Structure formats: C-alpha cells, structure tokens
Amino acid sequence: MDTAAARDLPDDLRRRAEAWIDDDPDERDRAELRGVLDAAARGDAAAVADLADRFSAPLEFGTAGLRGALGAGEHRMNRAVVQRAAAGLGAWLVQRAERPRVVVGLDARHRSRDFADDSAAVLTAAGCEVLLLPRPLPTPVLAFAVRHLGADAGVMVTASHNPPQDNGYKVYLGGRVAPEEGRGVQIVPPADAEIAARIAAVRHVRDVPRAAGGWRVLGEDVVEDYLAAVVAAGERLVPDVPADGPGPRVVVTALHGVGSAVLREALRRSGTTDVHEVAEQAEPDPAFPTVAFPNPEEPGALDRALALAADVGADLVLAVDPDADRCCVAVPDGGSWRALSGDELGWVLGERLARPGGVLACSVVSSGMLARIAAAHGATFSPALTGFKWIARVPGLDFGYEEAIGYCVAPDVVRDKDGISTALVVARLAARARAAGGALADALDELALAHGVHATAPVTVRVDDLSLIGRAMARLRAEPPASLAGSPVTSVEDLTASVDGLPPTDGVRWRTADGTRVVVRPSGTEPKLKAYCEVVEPVPGGTADGLAAARSAAAERLEAVRVDVRAATGLA
C-alpha cells in the first residue's frame, strides 16, 4: 500500500464507513460501500473523495423531506436512510394521534419500490395504519389521497424532475396532525425540525422494528376518485367549452415518468380526444434515455414533443415532469413552436380563475403580473414564499403558481401543484379559444395590453462548492448593485427580515426606478444560485404595433438586467 496516499483516508472516516456497513440493511449497498472503502484504503484518491462526500453530513430532512443521489452512506438516498426517516416520522405521528393513518405512494425511479415497501413496514411497526397506493402513480394522486382518505400523513417516494441518479422522500401532513390550511400540504416548520429530531434519535437501523405485513394495498378506486375529482373541477373552472366541433389537437409527453396513463385518461374524460403521445417517452423508465435532464423546462427536453406537434399539425403541447406535479405548455408561434414560461402560463390561468372576492397567490420570485390580474378582478393577491408548501397554505386560495411551472388550479381537490389538473384546464381553455376562432396565446396579448408587457427570465449559476453560494449571498447583501440596465436601484430588501409579512427566507430583492425587480436566492434543492428578473414595459397607444415595440424594448432591457445580475453575483 502507498502509505502516503493511505493517509488521505482519515481514521474517523474509515470508522464511520465501517459502522455504516455493519448497520446497513441492504446487501447491495453494503457491498457498494465496502468496494469504495477498500479502494480508498488502497490509496485511490477518487475513492477517498467519494467516501468523504458520502459521509459529509446526514442527508438533510427539510421542507421537501429528503432528496439526493442514490448510493450507500449517510449523505445518499438508500434503504438505511429511508428506514430511519420512516421510523422518525412514525414516532412523531404516534405522539399526536392514535394509530395515525399514512398513505404511501411511489414513482418509477430506481429503488422507489424498495423505499415505499420499507416505509410501509417501518410505519406499520411503529403503530400506524398504512395504505399503499396500488402502483407507481403521480405525486398529485398521493396529495389528493391524503385528504380524500382522511389520512394524517402521506409519503411520496419521488425525486420529481431531478436527474436519474436521484431519488427522494416527500412528506405531507393531514387529518389530526395538521391545521385545516395544512392538510394535504407538504411539511413546513416546526414539523420538519421536529421530525428531523426524531430521525436523528434513531441510533441503529438494525434496531428499527419492521412489520412483515399488516398494511393495505389500495385498489384502483383511489385513481378513479382522483380522475373524477379533477375532471369535475375542470368542468367547473372552464364550463363554456363547446361540445360539438373539433377540439384542439394535442401532443402530450410524460418524459419517461408515471404521468402518461393518468394524463391521457383525464384529458379523454374531459373531452380532449385528439391526443397524440410521444411514444418513446410514454412508458416509465428510470434512466430517462431520451432527455439529458428530465425537466420540461430544460433545453432539449421538449424536442421530440415539438417535432411530433409539427408533424401532426397540433394546436398545443402538454408536457408533465416525471412525477406529473408540474406542467409545461408549448404553443404555435409564427410557423414554429415556443414553450410558455412558467409565469406566462400562470398569467393565463390566473386571468381565467380569478373571481371577485377570490384569492390568487404566487411565490415572491414569480412575476408581479398576477397581482395586477387580481386587482382587475376584485380579488385578493397574496405573495408566498417559494414552494407549494407555502403557496398552498394561503387562506381561501383559488389559484396559486410558482414560476417553476408549478400550478394549483383546484385547491379543493389537490392542495399542491398538479400537472394533471393543470393540463386538463389548459386543454379546455385551448378548446374554448379554438371555438372562438382564436388561440390560447391570444390571452397573453390581451393581458399585455391591459397591464403592460411583463418580461421575466432567470439567471442560474451552478456551483460545485456550496460555500460559494453563501459567500455570494453575503456579497450581494453588503454590496448591492447601484443600478441595473442603467436604472438606479431604489429599493434593497433582505428577505431574512420577513418582508411582505412573510416568514424569513434566504434572499435579497432589488427594485429600480423603471420598475425592474430582481430576487436572488439559493436553490432549495440543487447546488445553484438563482436570480429571478422581471421588467415591465407599457404598451404605447394600446395597439398591436405598440405591443410589438414594447415586447422588443422589454426583451432588450431584460437581457441587460441579466448581464448586470451575473456580474453582481461574482460567480459568472
């Protein structure tokens, strides 16, 4: 052995890895970690670095539950980590309710079945009544089931739109352990910290009780109930869809996730029957072989859907992410196709779903257009922190969205983002527009004429060293830019100071004299810093020519703002 290289493996790291191997319940994970440890002991520098990362810290249980790369070790998603999480959750629940009811769901990612079965076994042994969804299904079905079945909690095994090597563990609360506004919603403080403390109290996985059975696998009726509820909601929210005449021709894709069958059936029952699916992306495949990144927002993810739309002469493209809680929409645009931004679809839906006395909400990083839409309809606008764990808690919510293509169109059905019900409502809006001789995107022109052109775009900086993000945020607080795109910065707000009556969060917001707004915050799920930029340009004369000029001016200003923001982060 090269003793100089071997010294790169600290004794403490070796001991922690050995202890994990002794306690790990999964033979495959034990063998994987043993292989890494042996290579590190031989002086393999890459193995030492890999081992150090696997034991850099426990995978954090936070407001999204757990999410991380698959593999053995405390900083990975594996059966040992999941069993600890289930034990902690079960201990927390049984303190608050007698035989708490928990619904467990899963997607089709690598090891999702293992993690769901482990959760069922551990929660049952902890004293919970466990109901397991009948097969891999969209996250919105699980969120619906928590309220529909009167459950006290829900667990969804999914990593949503993360890369193929990831998996995750979302926790919802309901029933007897959450207030009304938090039932069927993902956890927030203090519950997340309390559950995390229970997880941390689990000393050895081998000591965690596991039931050999006793949970119940639900039948397909839970899916039927979900479909009936979202179809009824769509008909209620967009009732004026002509029953005769051809409807829109729609292309759909589930991006190798679990949304395909439920999405197509929801559309069919709602009257959208001219549907063409991207066949090679229809079946669940945890490798996501046809996309570089399984997120409809990522460049290239919609290429096959847009090609099919051009081939069949479609009116609309509807894409859901792998767990079908997000929805991306693309529309024809002057002989080609373009995907609507998350904000643009939020405006279209908000305009339709606003009502006098109602409540619209979006995250603080989303566009200011929704506030103008709410005011125009005599509705209340409520800002919320980023994430549907906050948006869905807005009292009296009628519609909420976040710019990351997440929409809650029917809070009475699913109090979370739901790509299936969103797609259904969009298809009905497209059918109504087609019957009137127009198109879905016409609503964007009408909103711009009424409220000005709102142009939004992010600046995203990915990093390998997470400490760079903390230093960048400190720099932005201490030395904010004096101007953006030539307009003086007139307002600097630190979002840790609870602005707009919201709980504190890590972020800064700048406003300029010309109405530009920028919010900068660290990503909550990925190693990146994100800035959300928006400019507003009035439409001269309120005409079509004026609209084109305003959009051109807004695009130019927006790009100048993004250049200045990149420079301000110091990471570009």
Side-chain angles (χ1 to χ4, degrees):
M1 181 188 300
D2 183 338
T3 55
R7 283 199 296 268
D8 289 340
L9 177 59
D11 287 342
D12 177 63
L13 181 57
R14 183 199 303 269
R15 286 193 298 268
R16 290 166 66 194
E18 292 279 10
W20 189 276
I21 291 169
D22 290 343
D23 196 39
D24 197 310
D26 189 87
E27 181 179 356
R28 179 169 57 176
D29 288 343
R30 291 195 302 270
E32 174 193 312
L33 189 55
R34 172 58 66 187
V36 176
L37 178 59
D38 288 348
R42 292 193 300 269
D44 185 324
V48 172
D50 183 13
L51 198 65
D53 186 63
R54 289 169 185 258
F55 289 91
S56 56
L59 197 62
E60 183 178 356
F61 185 90
T63 49
L66 297 166
R67 191 175 295 182
L70 292 162
E74 66 178 10
H75 197 62
R76 296 287 188 271
M77 280 295 298
N78 51 64
R79 293 184 63 203
V81 165
V82 166
Q83 288 182 31
R84 286 176 180 270
L89 175 62
W92 186 87
L93 287 170
V94 297
Q95 272 197 324
R96 287 158 176 79
E98 183 179 354
R99 198 165 184 247
R101 173 176 288 183
V102 185
V103 186
V104 178
L106 69 153
D107 67 9
R109 283 178 177 263
H110 294 298
R111 311 219 71 178
S112 285
R113 173 56 67 184
D114 290 342
F115 298 163
D117 288 346
D118 280 341
S119 298
V122 171
L123 288 165
T124 298
C128 299
E129 177 194 5
V130 177
L131 309 176
L132 189 63
L133 291 187
R135 53 188 168 87
L137 285 165
T139 292
V141 176
L142 183 280
F144 164 80
V146 170
R147 296 177 69 201
H148 180 64
L149 300 175
D152 299 298
V155 170
M156 182 67 192
V157 179
T158 180
S160 190
H161 56 283
N162 274 37
Q165 65 268 24
D166 287 3
N167 212 327
Y169 195 87
K170 290 183 180 180
V171 176
Y172 295 76
L173 297 181
R176 295 166 289 177
V177 303
E180 170 58 33
E181 69 274 9
R183 290 174 187 156
V185 187
Q186 292 181 55
I187 55 173
V188 295
D192 57 350
E194 293 169 353
I195 296 170
R198 285 289 186 170
I199 295 170
V202 178
R203 291 178 57 83
H204 301 291
V205 177
R206 61 176 173 267
D207 296 333
V208 172
R210 285 173 45 88
W215 57 88
R216 177 159 61 97
V217 178
L218 296 169
E220 287 294 319
D221 52 328
V222 68
V223 184
E224 285 295 312
D225 291 344
Y226 168 79
L227 284 167
V230 296
V231 170
E235 293 172 351
R236 181 182 76 248
L237 297 170
V238 190
D240 43 354
V241 177
D244 55 345
R249 177 164 294 172
V250 179
V251 164
V252 299
T253 178
L255 293 182
H256 303 291
V258 294
S260 174
V262 179
L263 172 60
R264 285 188 287 106
E265 183 61 15
L267 291 172
R268 185 191 69 78
R269 294 188 188 191
S270 185
T272 302
T273 56
D274 192 354
V275 176
H276 302 255
E277 184 163 25
V278 181
E280 60 268 40
Q281 295 177 337
E283 293 301 316
D285 188 334
F288 305 105
T290 69
V291 291
F293 202 98
N295 181 348
E297 292 184 290
E298 291 289 327
L302 295 184
D303 284 356
R304 291 173 186 248
L306 298 182
L308 179 59
D311 287 345
V312 302
D315 302 295
L316 185 68
V317 170
L318 299 170
V320 293
D321 71 337
D323 71 328
D325 65 349
R326 300 170 190 257
C327 178
C328 185
V329 172
V331 295
D333 182 29
S336 61
W337 284 80
R338 76 176 182 95
L340 300 185
S341 72
D343 280 317
E344 287 175 326
L345 183 55
W347 306 337
V348 172
L349 292 169
E351 174 69 12
R352 174 61 202 184
L353 302 179
R355 62 180 180 84
V359 178
L360 306 183
C362 67
S363 61
V364 293
V365 301
S366 299
S367 167
M369 172 75 90
L370 194 66
R372 300 192 183 198
I373 292 171
H377 286 272
T380 297
F381 170 73
S382 292
L385 292 185
T386 303
F388 265 86
K389 58 187 178 287
W390 299 111
I391 296 169
R393 280 180 161 78
V394 170
L397 182 68
D398 289 295
F399 168 69
Y401 89 93
E402 61 181 2
E403 53 74 42
I405 60 172
Y407 310 93
C408 178
V409 298
D412 57 321
V413 177
V414 175
R415 199 169 288 178
D416 195 13
K417 57 187 178 291
D418 181 356
I420 304 293
S421 58
T422 299
L424 186 154
V425 167
V426 170
R428 292 181 67 84
L429 288 174
R432 192 184 65 160
R434 178 187 174 96
L440 181 71
D442 294 344
L444 293 173
D445 291 347
E446 296 166 5
L447 287 168
L449 290 171
H451 305 298
V453 171
H454 287 57
T456 64
V459 171
T460 302
V461 183
R462 293 182 181 270
V463 299
D464 294 323
D465 181 356
L466 284 175
S467 68
L468 294 175
I469 291 180
R471 291 202 290 269
M473 291 301 299
R475 183 186 312 111
L476 294 174
R477 288 186 169 96
E479 303 173 14
S483 64
L484 293 170
S487 181
V489 172
T490 56
S491 172
V492 177
E493 298 167 288
D494 187 339
L495 301 187
T496 60
S498 303
V499 301
D500 296 337
L502 299 173
T505 189
D506 188 4
V508 295
R509 181 166 64 189
W510 307 320
R511 299 185 192 273
T512 71
D514 65 3
T516 294
R517 184 223 63 186
V518 174
V519 180
V520 188
R521 63 181 290 271
S523 169
T525 57
E526 299 177 79
K528 61 188 181 183
L529 188 71
K530 294 195 71 174
Y532 305 82
C533 309
E534 178 173 39
V535 302
V536 182
E537 190 76 27
V539 179
T543 64
D545 288 343
L547 179 58
R551 282 188 168 139
S552 177
E556 185 176 337
R557 275 178 56 205
L558 181 61
E559 186 51 39
V561 167
R562 296 176 73 214
V563 169
D564 287 348
V565 169
R566 286 192 190 95
T569 67
L571 298 176

